[in-house]
């Protein structure tokens, strides 16, 4: 077999927010029994969603798909517009909020800016659940979406209010810097977040890819096609020196024609992808190449988020 050096990026895979969201579904099933409803994919990963479905989770896009009012419903890690918990309360549904605390931080920033009379710009991708959730914290038209440097260059303020910017947590660090630079040049008094809105996990995973990409002919990102942070990892790999980069959900999606003849490969995983899928990809390469593995670590992560109060008793009992 041909030799292949694989550089494995670290950190990779699950972040604290994803880990917490999955735990919330598993503990709710343990405490309340099946079915437990989940509005939207709990995280953007088919393997994770299918695993939870097999345990009794029922995934819906909207609350009106839930016919029973006596079962728990969980809101996904991406966050939801204010109208969703309001609708749940009107129906007397018992709900658990699995919104990542770092997304909730952005929600609070938006609300605070509005209270202080600022015009709010949200840097993000239209239609992404996190963006829908953040814009939905305030009345329609209050939050203005900026997707590109061109948007920042051409944005016309709606009023003479002070501007403030916030961002989606899973963006490209470099793209966001370019957008913020344009906004700051045009509007020197624009108010920035006290602490960067792009989450630690997104930043760390992109830095790790930047470290391995220049050494690699190809980079494989394990993640879902609708996962913003996974798509950004593929883009970062290409910009950082990899000739090819692929976003795949499972090893079965690997394109061996595209990978023939390579001698160096990088592997990473988006924040919603479990380590078992990374191992599956490595094993697939071992079947075709004489593999040598090297982990390239650029940061250590030890962050954990608290579970909702209602489920803390379930974890104590489990321990």
């Amino acid at each position: 077999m041909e030799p292949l050096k694989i550089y494995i990026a670290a950190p990779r895979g699950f972040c604290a927010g994803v880990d917490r969201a999955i735990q919330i579904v598993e503990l709710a099933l343990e405490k309340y029994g099946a079915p437990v409803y989940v509005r939207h994919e709990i995280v953007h990963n088919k393997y994770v969603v299918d695993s939870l479905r097999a345990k009794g989770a029922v995934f819906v896009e909207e609350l009106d798909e839930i016919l029973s009012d006596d079962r728990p419903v969980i809101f996904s890690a991406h966050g939801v517009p204010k109208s969703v918990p309001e609708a749940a309360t009107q129906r007397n549904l018992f709900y658990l909020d699995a919104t990542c605390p770092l997304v909730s931080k952005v929600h609070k920033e938006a609300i605070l800016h509005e209270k202080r009379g600022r015009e709010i710009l949200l840097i993000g991708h239209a239609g992404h659940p996190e963006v829908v959730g953040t814009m939905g914290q305030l009345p329609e038209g209050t939050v203005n979406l900026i997707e590109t440097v061109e948007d920042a260059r051409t944005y016309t303020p709606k009023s003479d209010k002070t501007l403030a910017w916030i961002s989606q947590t899973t963006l490209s660090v470099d793209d966001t810097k370019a957008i913020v630079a344009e906004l700051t040049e045009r509007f020197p008094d624009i108010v920035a977040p006290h602490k960067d809105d792009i989450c630690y996990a997104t930043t760390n995973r992109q830095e790790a890819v930047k470290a391995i990409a220049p050494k690699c002919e190809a980079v494989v990102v394990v993640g879902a096609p609708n996962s913003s942070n996974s798509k950004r990892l593929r883009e970062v790999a290409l910009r950082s020196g990899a000739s090819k980069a692929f976003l795949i959900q499972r090893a079965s999606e690997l394109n061996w024609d595209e990978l023939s003849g390579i001698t160096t490969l990088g592997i990473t995983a988006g924040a919603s992808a479990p380590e078992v899928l990374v191992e599956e990809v490595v094993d697939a390469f071992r079947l075709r190449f004489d593999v040598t593995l090297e982990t390239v670590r650029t940061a250590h992560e030890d962050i954990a988020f608290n579970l909702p109060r209602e489920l803390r008793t379930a974890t104590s009992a489990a321990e």
Side-chain angles (χ1 to χ4, degrees), residues 52-127:
L52 293 172
R53 190 179 279 123
K55 294 176 183 178
V58 176
F59 291 88
V60 298
E61 283 305 305
E62 297 298 343
L63 297 184
D64 57 17
E65 295 171 51
I66 302 171
L67 302 179
S68 169
D69 286 359
D70 61 353
R71 300 306 304 158
V73 58
I74 297 168
F75 304 147
S76 81
H78 312 99
V80 294
K82 264 197 172 151
S83 56
V84 174
E86 285 168 1
T89 301
Q90 279 179 356
R91 275 184 63 179
N92 274 330
L93 288 173
F94 169 61
Y95 66 84
L96 295 161
D97 191 354
T99 300
C100 172
L102 299 178
V103 174
S104 297
K105 165 190 168 282
V106 179
H107 291 181
K108 287 170 190 161
E109 284 171 351
I111 292 162
L112 187 62
H113 287 317
E114 203 244 352
K115 278 184 181 165
R116 292 184 175 169
R118 295 169 182 150
E119 187 171 328
I120 305 162
L121 307 184
L122 169 62
I123 303 170
H125 298 297

Side-chain angles (χ1 to χ4, degrees), residues 185-198:
E185 188 177 322
R186 290 191 61 212
F187 311 110
D189 296 329
I190 194 167
V191 178
H194 291 301
K195 190 168 183 288
D196 199 344
D197 285 341
I198 295 179

Side-chain angles (χ1 to χ4, degrees), residues 9 11 13-14 50 53 87 110 130 134 136 162 164 193 199 201 231 285 292 315 318:
F14 278 5
D50 287 348
R53 190 179 279 123
E130 185 186 325
T134 299
T162 305
C199 84
K231 288 194 282 190
F285 278 96
T292 308
T315 92

Side-chain angles (χ1 to χ4, degrees), residues 29-317:
L29 284 164
E30 190 180 301
K31 182 169 181 177
Y32 305 110
V36 164
Y37 289 91
V38 184
R39 185 190 177 276
H40 192 67
E41 291 184 334
I42 187 70
V43 297
H44 284 155
N45 187 275
K46 185 178 185 302
Y47 179 91
V48 170
V49 168
D50 287 348
S51 301
L52 293 172
R53 190 179 279 123
K55 294 176 183 178
V58 176
F59 291 88
V60 298
E61 283 305 305
E62 297 298 343
L63 297 184
D64 57 17
E65 295 171 51
I66 302 171
L67 302 179
S68 169
D69 286 359
D70 61 353
R71 300 306 304 158
V73 58
I74 297 168
F75 304 147
S76 81
H78 312 99
V80 294
K82 264 197 172 151
S83 56
V84 174
E86 285 168 1
T89 301
Q90 279 179 356
R91 275 184 63 179
N92 274 330
L93 288 173
F94 169 61
Y95 66 84
L96 295 161
D97 191 354
T99 300
C100 172
L102 299 178
V103 174
S104 297
K105 165 190 168 282
V106 179
H107 291 181
K108 287 170 190 161
E109 284 171 351
I111 292 162
L112 187 62
H113 287 317
E114 203 244 352
K115 278 184 181 165
R116 292 184 175 169
R118 295 169 182 150
E119 187 171 328
I120 305 162
L121 307 184
L122 169 62
I123 303 170
H125 298 297
H128 187 277
E130 185 186 325
V131 166
V132 172
T134 299
M135 294 183 83
Q137 297 307 303
L138 294 166
E140 196 171 338
T142 307
V143 181
N144 308 282
L145 189 62
I146 302 287
E147 294 193 80
T148 62
V149 172
E150 183 59 24
D151 288 349
R153 192 175 292 129
T154 57
Y155 183 77
T156 305
K158 294 177 178 176
S159 65
D160 56 2
K161 292 178 180 178
T162 305
L163 292 174
W165 70 267
I166 55 178
S167 85
Q168 187 179 334
T169 63
T170 54
L171 299 176
S172 157
V173 173
D174 295 334
D175 285 351
T176 306
K177 273 184 188 163
I179 292 170
V180 170
E182 181 65 35
L183 289 172
T184 307
E185 188 177 322
R186 290 191 61 212
F187 311 110
D189 296 329
I190 194 167
V191 178
H194 291 301
K195 190 168 183 288
D196 199 344
D197 285 341
I198 295 179
C199 84
Y200 78 94
T202 297
T203 304
N204 288 350
R205 279 147 193 70
Q206 288 179 21
E207 287 303 313
V209 166
K210 285 178 186 176
I212 64 169
K215 312 172 195 273
C216 300
E217 292 159 81
V219 171
V220 170
V221 178
V222 181
N226 59 340
S227 160
S228 175
N229 78 84
S230 300
K231 288 194 282 190
R232 303 296 82 78
L233 289 175
R234 180 182 169 276
E235 293 166 3
V236 168
L238 290 169
R239 284 184 196 166
S240 303
S243 305
K244 302 172 184 176
F246 306 95
L247 175 58
I248 62 164
Q249 297 190 80
R250 301 291 298 265
S252 57
E253 294 178 11
L254 286 163
N255 183 332
W256 296 108
D257 291 338
E258 291 263 24
L259 294 162
S260 68
I262 63 167
T263 58
T264 52
L265 175 76
I267 298 179
T268 188
S272 331
E275 184 64 12
V276 65
L277 299 185
V278 175
E279 291 166 6
E280 179 184 276
V281 169
V282 172
D283 287 344
F285 278 96
R286 286 191 195 280
L287 291 173
R288 292 164 176 81
F289 295 88
D290 179 13
V291 167
T292 308
L293 283 181
E294 181 182 327
T295 298
V296 177
R297 179 172 290 283
T298 54
H300 289 272
E301 295 178 351
D302 56 4
I303 291 174
F305 295 131
N306 287 334
L307 291 162
R309 194 177 296 104
E310 298 90 338
L311 294 177
R312 286 179 209 161
T313 52
T315 92
S316 321

